[in-house]
Amino acid sequence: MGEWFVKDGAYNANASIRDYLKSLIKSVAVSFILTFVILVIAALLLCFTDFPEKYTLPSAIAATVLGVLAGSYGAARKNQDRRILSALILGLFYSILAYLIGCLIQGKLMISSNTGLFTAIVMATAAIGGILAGRPVKPKSKYKGGSNIFSDRFKKSATGGYKFGKSS
């Protein structure tokens, strides 16, 4: 595990692992905060509008997916060498913490098919976030592609106006 964290020829496994875990915990926190914000917005929509209550479960799943996707993308971007593994570790931490929070709120430990489904959704979303983090980012430059057939025909004339046709 220590060979993941060799930087600049120096080997300091404890500090590197500590930094890695710190960034991973920050990503988990971002995931939970984003999930919570989306759940609050969905709850307000359900409470104060005519939005049907049958969308409670889909909104909870969407909040979880968006939160985990954002967190796993961030965790994978911070550790490009092991981006899928970082994203999956984030998904595992998220699942365990969400399960523990749910058990505390309900006051009992219980594992059901919904627990397995939730974990599967979180892990699949985390893997997708890790995969998306590996895609190269397009540079933010001016658009230079496309056809210049029309632009060749529509040129500024010598008198300062525009003319349509072949330029001289």
Side-chain angles (χ1 to χ4, degrees):
M1 195 179 235
E3 69 271 2
W4 293 1
F5 306 105
V6 176
K7 292 184 180 178
D8 299 328
Y11 186 77
N12 189 355
N14 291 338
S16 298
I17 291 173
R18 193 176 319 118
D19 292 341
Y20 175 72
L21 288 176
K22 187 187 292 186
S23 72
L24 198 61
I25 289 170
K26 285 180 184 177
S27 296
V28 171
V30 166
S31 294
F32 271 108
I33 290 169
L34 185 61
T35 301
F36 181 74
V37 167
I38 294 172
L39 285 174
V40 166
I41 291 170
L44 290 173
L45 279 174
L46 289 169
C47 185
F48 295 114
T49 63
D50 293 341
F51 210 66
E53 288 190 28
K54 68 181 179 179
Y55 295 118
T56 303
L57 181 63
S59 65
I61 292 172
T64 301
V65 166
L66 290 174
V68 171
L69 191 63
S72 63
Y73 184 85
R77 281 301 236 190
K78 290 177 185 172
N79 188 17
Q80 280 290 324
D81 296 340
R82 305 272 189 223
R83 64 181 182 268
I84 299 292
L85 185 62
S86 295
L88 290 175
I89 290 172
L90 175 124
L92 185 64
F93 282 176
Y94 186 95
S95 295
I96 291 170
L97 285 174
Y99 175 73
L100 291 175
I101 291 169
C103 289
L104 286 174
I105 289 172
Q106 290 181 353
K108 61 182 175 180
L109 292 174
M110 189 173 123
I111 296 178
S112 67
S113 61
N114 286 341
T115 308
L117 179 63
F118 174 79
T119 304
I121 289 171
V122 167
M123 296 305 283
T125 304
I128 291 169
I131 291 168
L132 291 176
R135 293 183 25 200
V137 178
K138 292 183 180 179
K140 294 182 180 180
S141 62
K142 291 185 176 181
Y143 177 73
K144 295 183 181 178
S147 173
N148 57 358
I149 294 172
F150 185 71
S151 63
D152 285 345
R153 299 279 180 189
F154 192 68
K155 301 254 182 191
K156 192 169 186 178
S157 68
T159 60
Y162 287 93
K163 68 177 190 172
F164 188 69
K166 290 192 177 192
S167 59
S168 45

